[in-house]
Amino acid sequence: MKRKIIHIDRDKCSGCGLCAKACHEGAIEMVDGKAQLTREDFCDGFGDCLPACPAGAITFEEREAPAYDAEAVKAHKQSGMPAARPGCPGSMAMALKRGEEDDAPARAGRAASRLAQWPCQIKLVPVRAPFFDGAKLLIAADCTAYAYANMHEDFMRGKVTLIGCPKLDQVDYAEKLTAIIRDNDIRGVTIVRMEVPCCGGLQRAAEEALRASGKFIPWQVVTISRDGRVLDA
């Protein structure tokens, strides 16, 4: 049947998750860090999610869609179970506030976390988020934090951290990194990679994104050896 239903523009979606919270029927979920209409038959077309979206990523459209199934929504609510294709609730974007208490471990000679935002995986992080405003960006290979002992203090502190492994994720990060750099006020980029050849894919994607963004941004590449030494900077 043809009816009014919401449309989510994933390019505009910031991944804040407010629309998923506003949807009382459970039709919207967070998938790979973006809002997605996963159950069209749960969408009543009233648009409670529209005013909740700060990015203007949600609109109405008239198209072919399954009829709203009130009984299925009722059964879903009573079951307390997630919808059929759940997104990860832990992928909701947020800035992590760091206060003086967070420096207590460092003052005591222990390591302190310097992660400034969540999520940090390149595939999950939204393209646009408030924590990108005026940020210095760290694009790091997954293994660097395990090989280099002082990763948090030397590289992550004061930066928004994005991590990935092109070999394991089997994806080209260039397009998403381009959008992040192009669409946000990024002030600098540091690329931290391992000395192994597969990390070249991460460096290449970041360098391609810097070129494609059309912006002139200070950047550097740091290579970490397998035994945890900085080889160049």
Side-chain angles (χ1 to χ4, degrees):
M1 63 177 293
K2 201 167 189 177
R3 69 182 184 95
K4 185 170 72 172
I5 195 168
I6 66 159
H7 169 73
I8 302 174
D9 187 333
R10 285 179 65 86
D11 290 334
K12 290 183 179 179
C13 175
S14 67
C16 68
L18 293 176
C19 60
K21 287 184 177 180
C23 180
H24 306 298
E25 290 74 27
I28 302 174
E29 301 167 52
M30 302 305 294
V31 178
D32 292 336
K34 297 277 190 174
Q36 183 171 315
L37 179 62
T38 56
R39 289 294 302 263
E40 293 185 346
D41 58 332
F42 281 16
C43 178
D44 58 13
F46 290 161
D48 289 344
C49 54
L50 268 73
C53 178
I58 304 177
T59 55
F60 279 123
E61 63 179 357
E62 189 97 7
R63 63 174 174 83
E64 289 292 331
Y68 172 63
D69 192 337
E71 290 302 314
V73 171
K74 183 179 178 181
H76 164 62
K77 288 181 177 181
Q78 290 175 343
S79 72
M81 296 294 289
R85 288 175 289 173
C88 174
S91 65
M92 184 178 296
M94 65 179 70
L96 303 178
K97 303 298 183 182
R98 299 293 183 189
E100 288 187 12
E101 67 277 7
D102 295 296
D103 283 324
R107 290 196 295 268
R110 302 193 304 273
S113 175
R114 301 302 180 186
L115 185 64
Q117 92 296 334
W118 188 264
C120 57
Q121 219 284 344
I122 297 174
K123 289 179 67 177
L124 296 180
V125 74
V127 169
R128 283 178 289 272
F131 52 70
F132 281 130
D133 186 30
K136 293 180 179 179
L137 202 61
L138 171 65
I139 302 172
D142 291 353
C143 297
T144 56
Y146 295 94
Y148 189 73
N150 216 30
M151 187 73 176
H152 281 251
E153 290 296 328
D154 290 357
F155 294 111
M156 291 173 58
R157 186 169 189 163
K159 298 183 180 70
V160 167
T161 300
L162 305 182
I163 64 170
C165 175
K167 186 171 184 179
L168 293 181
D169 288 343
Q170 296 184 335
V171 66
D172 185 351
Y173 299 124
E175 183 177 352
K176 186 165 190 180
L177 290 175
T178 297
I180 290 172
I181 295 170
R182 182 191 63 225
D183 298 344
N184 297 281
D185 180 23
I186 303 298
R187 302 295 178 87
V189 175
T190 300
I191 304 159
V192 181
R193 55 163 293 180
M194 297 297 297
E195 63 176 328
V196 295
C198 55
C199 265
L202 182 68
Q203 180 178 341
R204 180 202 57 76
E207 291 176 347
E208 183 178 321
L210 284 161
R211 288 191 295 269
S213 71
K215 295 182 178 180
F216 180 76
I217 298 173
W219 64 282
Q220 64 171 329
V221 179
V222 179
T223 302
I224 307 296
S225 70
R226 279 168 281 197
D227 60 356
R229 294 174 293 112
V230 175
L231 296 180
D232 52 57

